[in-house]
Amino acid sequence: MLDEATRTAILKLHEQGHGSRMIARTLGAARSSVRRVIGSGHAQVPPLVRAELAEAWRDAIRELYARYEGHMGRVHEELLQRGATLSYPALTAFCRKHGIGTAPPLPAGRYEFPAGVEMQHDTSPHQAKIRGVLTRVQTASLVLCYSRMIFFQMYPRFTRFECKAFLAQAIAYFQGAAATCMVDNSHVVVAAGSGATMIPAPEMVAFAERYGFVFQAHEKGDANRSARVEAPFHRIEQGFLTGEDFADWNELNQRARVTCESWNAKFSNKLHASRRELFTAEQPYLKPLPPFVPEVYQLCTRIVDAEGYVHVNRISYSAPYRLIGRALEVRETLDRVDLYEGPRRVATHARAYGPLDIRVTDPAHRPPRGQGLGRHPQPAPEEIEMVQLEPRVASFLQALKQQAGGRRAPLRRLLSMLQEYPREAFLTALASAERYRLFDLDRLEKMVLRQIADDYFVLALEPESGDE
């Protein structure tokens, strides 16, 4: 079929008095087609009228589409049962052509971002090989919308703690923050609502206020609104993670930072400059860093167990053995785990990301070799006081401690006897008890009373028979 421009040329040449043979030879068209155009007298292309097999079933298709809630396979099966002969592709093409169940696509928009106005943050799950094992990682990325400067890191999980810690790293990398941070409707940032009615969590609001920006969320399903940060995730997966093996999480994130530097310095044909060059123009419009930025940490309380460890995220970290049974404050950062007793830091460890159920031990937290708590326990206060009052009880005291098995009640009773009874009578009875390995304190007390009976318990003599 001749297009409109060719038909216009045919009519123009015909008006100039040229015949159909010459016009057909000049334009390379069939003579019959030239005659039809001249006969119609207009340059408009006539509509193509073609019989459609599905036209007779139009009403049935609409009714079945609504019944089966858009399941085209069920619609096609039902039409065949009713006697239709059209194929499944013919059915779907007919529906698309006549707008059954589909709406015509809307034109895509374009977002313009002046310098320093917006940055976009999002996460995406990926697979990274760490020590030869494919590990699920959460990739967090932040992109400045004007210069397209990018910063990304990987984490085993992504909670509000990781979100704040990552944003603090990214803003420090950019040396400033844009006025708005666009996010999706993830619960990590959002406390309630979505899109324009989104309400951020209070702790995220406080974090944003520290750097001078605010969180905003795009509408659900409108992923194009955050295309600046969505687009690089495929490049991160294919251009950074694929084919690489990382020794640990620290190496993974260090190489991610090096990759950011490489990508930001590389010339972009689409941008006609490098991201670093565009960032030079954008940086003056960013919110400057505050004078002091406290380190982001996660706070929890843990009790030091009987083996001298505290447990955080299924990892055991050692604490000084003298703090067994104490409640310590644990401050967990991305790099460290610090243990505090009140305001004092008593231990610090490099944070371990796995494998799970391992122990991280500082040798300084263990008792010196051969001086464990079970072998040389601290003397009880009663023992110290008895030895100070009377050093000669030390031998019997050590034997009594072995018999008592760590109980302090016998020590308290022995101290009471030492303080109450005459010293020499007590020591004489104690020497006899030690000689015969007698550690029953009831019997020891009877022996002491027997020693002092003649001195302190004198009985009156009975009168003789002639004296009454």
Side-chain angles (χ1 to χ4, degrees), residues 268-317:
S268 171
N269 291 328
K270 182 177 181 179
L271 301 176
H272 306 290
S274 69
R275 292 171 173 81
R276 182 67 68 179
E277 291 172 340
L278 295 177
F279 175 72
T280 303
E282 184 176 22
Q283 190 172 20
Y285 297 93
L286 298 178
K287 305 288 184 180
L289 293 175
F292 172 72
V293 179
E295 189 174 18
V296 178
Y297 62 85
Q298 188 167 235
L299 184 65
C300 61
T301 301
R302 294 291 186 270
I303 295 177
V304 184
D305 65 12
E307 298 181 353
Y309 290 86
V310 297
H311 307 278
V312 182
N313 298 325
R314 292 184 63 182
I315 304 292
S316 300
Y317 298 93

Coordinates of all heavy atoms in Angstrom, one line a residue, residues 268-317:
S268 N 31.6 9.0 31.1 CA 30.3 8.4 30.7 C 29.8 9.1 29.4 O 29.7 10.3 29.4 CB 29.2 8.6 31.8 OG 27.9 8.3 31.3
N269 N 29.6 8.3 28.4 CA 29.1 8.9 27.1 C 27.7 9.4 27.3 O 27.4 10.4 26.6 CB 29.1 7.8 26.0 CG 30.5 7.3 25.6 OD1 31.4 8.1 25.7 ND2 30.6 6.1 25.3
K270 N 26.9 8.8 28.2 CA 25.6 9.3 28.4 C 25.6 10.7 29.1 O 24.8 11.6 28.7 CB 24.8 8.3 29.2 CG 23.4 8.7 29.4 CD 22.6 7.6 30.2 CE 21.2 8.0 30.4 NZ 20.4 7.0 31.1
L271 N 26.5 10.8 30.0 CA 26.6 12.1 30.8 C 27.5 13.1 30.1 O 27.5 14.3 30.6 CB 27.0 11.8 32.2 CG 26.2 10.9 33.0 CD1 26.8 10.6 34.4 CD2 24.8 11.4 33.2
H272 N 28.3 12.7 29.2 CA 29.3 13.5 28.5 C 30.4 14.1 29.5 O 31.0 15.1 29.3 CB 28.7 14.7 27.8 CG 27.6 14.3 26.8 ND1 27.8 13.6 25.7 CD2 26.2 14.4 26.9 CE1 26.7 13.4 25.0 NE2 25.7 13.8 25.8
A273 N 30.6 13.4 30.6 CA 31.6 13.7 31.6 C 31.6 12.5 32.6 O 30.8 11.6 32.5 CB 31.2 15.0 32.3
S274 N 32.6 12.6 33.5 CA 32.6 11.6 34.5 C 31.7 12.1 35.7 O 31.4 13.3 35.8 CB 34.0 11.4 35.0 OG 34.5 12.5 35.7
R275 N 31.3 11.1 36.5 CA 30.5 11.5 37.7 C 31.3 12.3 38.6 O 30.7 13.2 39.3 CB 30.0 10.2 38.4 CG 29.0 9.4 37.6 CD 28.8 8.0 38.3 NE 27.7 7.3 37.6 CZ 27.8 6.6 36.5 NH1 29.0 6.5 35.9 NH2 26.8 6.0 35.9
R276 N 32.6 12.1 38.7 CA 33.4 12.9 39.6 C 33.4 14.4 39.2 O 33.4 15.3 40.0 CB 34.8 12.3 39.7 CG 35.8 13.0 40.6 CD 35.4 12.9 42.1 NE 35.5 11.6 42.6 CZ 35.2 11.2 43.8 NH1 34.8 12.2 44.7 NH2 35.3 10.0 44.3
E277 N 33.5 14.6 37.9 CA 33.5 16.0 37.3 C 32.2 16.7 37.6 O 32.1 17.8 38.0 CB 33.8 15.9 35.8 CG 35.2 15.5 35.5 CD 35.4 15.3 34.0 OE1 34.4 15.1 33.3 OE2 36.5 15.3 33.6
L278 N 31.0 15.9 37.4 CA 29.8 16.5 37.7 C 29.6 16.8 39.2 O 28.9 17.7 39.6 CB 28.6 15.7 37.2 CG 28.6 15.5 35.7 CD1 27.4 14.5 35.3 CD2 28.3 16.8 35.0
F279 N 30.2 15.9 40.0 CA 30.1 16.1 41.5 C 30.8 17.4 41.9 O 30.4 18.0 42.9 CB 30.7 14.9 42.2 CG 30.8 15.0 43.6 CD1 29.6 14.9 44.4 CD2 32.0 15.2 44.3 CE1 29.7 15.0 45.8 CE2 32.1 15.3 45.7 CZ 30.9 15.2 46.4
T280 N 31.9 17.7 41.2 CA 32.5 19.0 41.6 C 31.6 20.2 41.5 O 31.7 21.1 42.3 CB 33.7 19.2 40.6 OG1 34.6 18.1 40.7 CG2 34.5 20.4 41.0
A281 N 30.7 20.1 40.5 CA 29.7 21.2 40.4 C 28.6 21.1 41.4 O 28.0 22.1 41.8 CB 29.1 21.3 39.0
E282 N 28.3 19.9 41.9 CA 27.2 19.6 42.8 C 27.6 19.8 44.2 O 26.7 20.2 45.1 CB 26.6 18.2 42.6 CG 25.4 17.9 43.5 CD 24.8 16.6 43.2 OE1 25.5 15.7 42.7 OE2 23.6 16.4 43.5
Q283 N 28.8 19.6 44.6 CA 29.2 19.5 46.0 C 28.9 20.8 46.7 O 28.5 20.8 47.9 CB 30.7 19.2 46.1 CG 31.2 18.9 47.5 CD 32.6 18.4 47.6 OE1 33.4 18.6 46.7 NE2 32.9 17.8 48.7
P284 N 29.1 22.0 46.2 CA 28.8 23.2 46.9 C 27.3 23.3 47.3 O 27.0 24.1 48.3 CB 29.1 24.4 46.0 CG 30.1 23.8 45.0 CD 29.7 22.4 44.9
Y285 N 26.4 22.6 46.7 CA 25.0 22.7 47.0 C 24.6 21.6 48.0 O 23.4 21.6 48.4 CB 24.2 22.5 45.7 CG 24.4 23.6 44.7 CD1 25.3 23.4 43.7 CD2 23.6 24.8 44.8 CE1 25.5 24.4 42.8 CE2 23.8 25.8 43.8 CZ 24.8 25.6 42.8 OH 25.0 26.6 41.9
L286 N 25.5 20.7 48.4 CA 25.1 19.7 49.4 C 25.1 20.3 50.8 O 25.8 21.3 51.1 CB 26.1 18.6 49.4 CG 26.2 17.8 48.0 CD1 27.3 16.7 48.2 CD2 24.9 17.2 47.7
K287 N 24.3 19.7 51.7 CA 24.3 20.1 53.1 C 25.6 19.7 53.7 O 26.0 18.5 53.7 CB 23.2 19.4 53.9 CG 21.8 19.6 53.3 CD 21.3 21.0 53.5 CE 19.9 21.2 53.0 NZ 19.4 22.6 53.2
P288 N 26.4 20.6 54.3 CA 27.7 20.2 54.9 C 27.6 19.3 56.1 O 26.5 19.2 56.7 CB 28.3 21.6 55.3 CG 27.1 22.5 55.5 CD 26.0 22.0 54.6
L289 N 28.6 18.5 56.3 CA 28.6 17.6 57.5 C 28.6 18.4 58.8 O 29.2 19.5 58.9 CB 29.9 16.8 57.4 CG 30.0 15.8 56.3 CD1 31.4 15.1 56.3 CD2 28.9 14.7 56.4
P290 N 27.9 17.9 59.8 CA 28.0 18.6 61.1 C 29.4 18.5 61.7 O 30.2 17.7 61.3 CB 27.0 17.8 62.0 CG 26.9 16.4 61.3 CD 27.1 16.7 59.8
P291 N 29.7 19.5 62.7 CA 31.0 19.5 63.2 C 31.4 18.2 63.9 O 32.6 17.8 63.8 CB 30.9 20.6 64.3 CG 29.8 21.5 63.8 CD 28.8 20.5 63.2
F292 N 30.5 17.5 64.5 CA 30.8 16.2 65.2 C 29.7 15.2 64.8 O 28.5 15.5 64.9 CB 30.9 16.4 66.7 CG 31.0 15.1 67.4 CD1 32.1 14.3 67.4 CD2 29.9 14.5 68.1 CE1 32.2 13.1 68.0 CE2 30.0 13.3 68.8 CZ 31.2 12.6 68.7
V293 N 30.1 14.1 64.3 CA 29.2 13.0 64.0 C 29.5 11.8 64.9 O 30.5 11.1 64.7 CB 29.4 12.6 62.5 CG1 28.4 11.5 62.1 CG2 29.1 13.8 61.6
P294 N 28.6 11.5 65.8 CA 28.8 10.3 66.7 C 28.7 9.0 65.9 O 28.0 8.9 64.9 CB 27.7 10.4 67.8 CG 26.7 11.3 67.1 CD 27.4 12.2 66.2
E295 N 29.5 8.1 66.3 CA 29.5 6.8 65.6 C 28.1 6.1 65.8 O 27.6 6.1 66.9 CB 30.6 5.9 66.1 CG 30.8 4.6 65.3 CD 32.0 3.9 65.7 OE1 32.5 4.1 66.8 OE2 32.5 3.0 65.0
V296 N 27.6 5.5 64.8 CA 26.4 4.8 64.8 C 26.6 3.4 65.5 O 27.5 2.6 65.0 CB 25.7 4.6 63.4 CG1 24.4 3.8 63.5 CG2 25.5 5.9 62.8
Y297 N 25.9 3.1 66.5 CA 26.0 1.8 67.2 C 24.6 1.3 67.6 O 23.7 2.0 67.8 CB 27.0 1.8 68.3 CG 26.6 2.7 69.5 CD1 25.8 2.3 70.5 CD2 27.1 4.0 69.6 CE1 25.4 3.1 71.5 CE2 26.8 4.8 70.6 CZ 25.9 4.4 71.6 OH 25.6 5.2 72.7
Q298 N 24.6 0.0 67.8 CA 23.4 -0.7 68.3 C 23.6 -1.1 69.8 O 24.6 -1.7 70.1 CB 23.0 -1.9 67.5 CG 21.7 -2.5 67.8 CD 21.3 -3.5 66.7 OE1 20.2 -3.4 66.1 NE2 22.1 -4.5 66.4
L299 N 22.7 -0.8 70.6 CA 22.8 -0.9 72.1 C 22.0 -2.1 72.6 O 20.8 -2.2 72.2 CB 22.5 0.4 72.8 CG 22.7 0.4 74.3 CD1 24.2 0.3 74.6 CD2 22.1 1.7 74.9
C300 N 22.6 -2.9 73.4 CA 21.9 -4.0 74.1 C 22.6 -4.3 75.4 O 23.7 -3.9 75.6 CB 21.7 -5.2 73.2 SG 23.3 -6.0 72.7
T301 N 21.9 -5.1 76.2 CA 22.5 -5.5 77.5 C 22.6 -7.0 77.5 O 21.7 -7.7 77.2 CB 21.6 -5.1 78.7 OG1 21.4 -3.6 78.6 CG2 22.2 -5.5 80.0
R302 N 23.8 -7.5 78.0 CA 24.0 -8.9 78.0 C 24.7 -9.3 79.4 O 25.4 -8.5 79.9 CB 24.9 -9.4 76.9 CG 24.3 -9.3 75.5 CD 23.2 -10.2 75.3 NE 22.7 -10.2 73.9 CZ 21.7 -9.5 73.5 NH1 21.1 -8.6 74.4 NH2 21.3 -9.5 72.3
I303 N 24.4 -10.5 79.9 CA 25.0 -10.9 81.2 C 26.1 -11.9 80.8 O 26.0 -12.8 79.9 CB 23.9 -11.7 82.0 CG1 22.9 -10.7 82.5 CG2 24.6 -12.3 83.2 CD1 21.7 -11.3 83.3
V304 N 27.3 -11.7 81.4 CA 28.4 -12.5 81.2 C 28.1 -13.9 81.7 O 27.8 -14.1 82.9 CB 29.7 -12.0 81.8 CG1 30.9 -12.8 81.4 CG2 29.9 -10.5 81.4
D305 N 28.2 -14.9 80.8 CA 27.8 -16.3 81.3 C 28.9 -16.9 82.1 O 30.0 -16.3 82.4 CB 27.5 -17.2 80.1 CG 28.7 -17.4 79.1 OD1 29.8 -17.1 79.5 OD2 28.4 -17.9 78.0
A306 N 28.7 -18.2 82.5 CA 29.6 -18.8 83.5 C 31.0 -19.1 82.8 O 32.0 -19.3 83.5 CB 29.0 -20.2 83.9
E307 N 31.1 -19.1 81.5 CA 32.3 -19.3 80.8 C 33.0 -18.0 80.4 O 34.1 -18.0 79.8 CB 32.1 -20.1 79.5 CG 31.5 -21.5 79.9 CD 31.3 -22.4 78.6 OE1 31.5 -21.8 77.5 OE2 31.0 -23.5 78.7
G308 N 32.4 -16.9 80.8 CA 33.0 -15.6 80.5 C 32.8 -15.0 79.2 O 33.6 -14.3 78.6
Y309 N 31.6 -15.2 78.6 CA 31.3 -14.7 77.3 C 29.9 -14.0 77.3 O 29.0 -14.4 78.1 CB 31.2 -15.9 76.2 CG 32.6 -16.5 75.9 CD1 33.1 -17.5 76.7 CD2 33.3 -16.0 74.8 CE1 34.3 -18.1 76.4 CE2 34.5 -16.6 74.5 CZ 35.1 -17.6 75.3 OH 36.3 -18.1 75.0
V310 N 29.8 -13.1 76.4 CA 28.5 -12.5 76.1 C 28.1 -12.9 74.7 O 29.0 -13.1 73.8 CB 28.5 -10.9 76.2 CG1 28.8 -10.5 77.6 CG2 29.5 -10.3 75.3
H311 N 26.8 -13.0 74.4 CA 26.3 -13.5 73.1 C 25.5 -12.4 72.4 O 24.6 -11.9 72.9 CB 25.4 -14.7 73.3 CG 26.1 -15.8 74.2 ND1 27.0 -16.7 73.7 CD2 26.0 -16.0 75.5 CE1 27.4 -17.5 74.7 NE2 26.8 -17.1 75.8
V312 N 26.0 -12.1 71.1 CA 25.4 -11.1 70.3 C 25.2 -11.7 68.9 O 26.2 -12.1 68.2 CB 26.3 -9.8 70.2 CG1 25.6 -8.8 69.4 CG2 26.6 -9.3 71.6
N313 N 24.0 -11.8 68.4 CA 23.7 -12.3 67.1 C 24.4 -13.7 66.8 O 25.0 -13.9 65.8 CB 24.2 -11.3 66.0 CG 23.4 -10.0 66.1 OD1 22.3 -9.9 66.4 ND2 24.1 -8.9 65.8
R314 N 24.3 -14.5 67.8 CA 24.8 -15.9 67.7 C 26.3 -15.9 67.5 O 26.9 -16.9 67.0 CB 24.1 -16.7 66.5 CG 22.7 -17.0 66.8 CD 22.1 -17.8 65.7 NE 22.7 -19.1 65.6 CZ 22.4 -20.0 64.7 NH1 21.5 -19.7 63.8 NH2 23.0 -21.2 64.7
I315 N 27.0 -14.9 68.0 CA 28.5 -14.9 68.1 C 28.8 -14.6 69.6 O 28.2 -13.7 70.2 CB 29.1 -13.8 67.2 CG1 28.6 -14.0 65.8 CG2 30.6 -13.8 67.3 CD1 29.2 -15.2 65.1
S316 N 29.8 -15.4 70.1 CA 30.1 -15.2 71.5 C 31.4 -14.4 71.6 O 32.4 -14.7 71.0 CB 30.3 -16.6 72.2 OG 29.1 -17.3 72.2
Y317 N 31.4 -13.4 72.4 CA 32.6 -12.5 72.6 C 33.0 -12.6 74.1 O 32.2 -12.5 75.0 CB 32.3 -11.0 72.3 CG 31.9 -10.8 70.8 CD1 30.5 -10.9 70.5 CD2 32.8 -10.6 69.9 CE1 30.1 -10.7 69.1 CE2 32.4 -10.4 68.5 CZ 31.1 -10.4 68.2 OH 30.7 -10.2 66.9

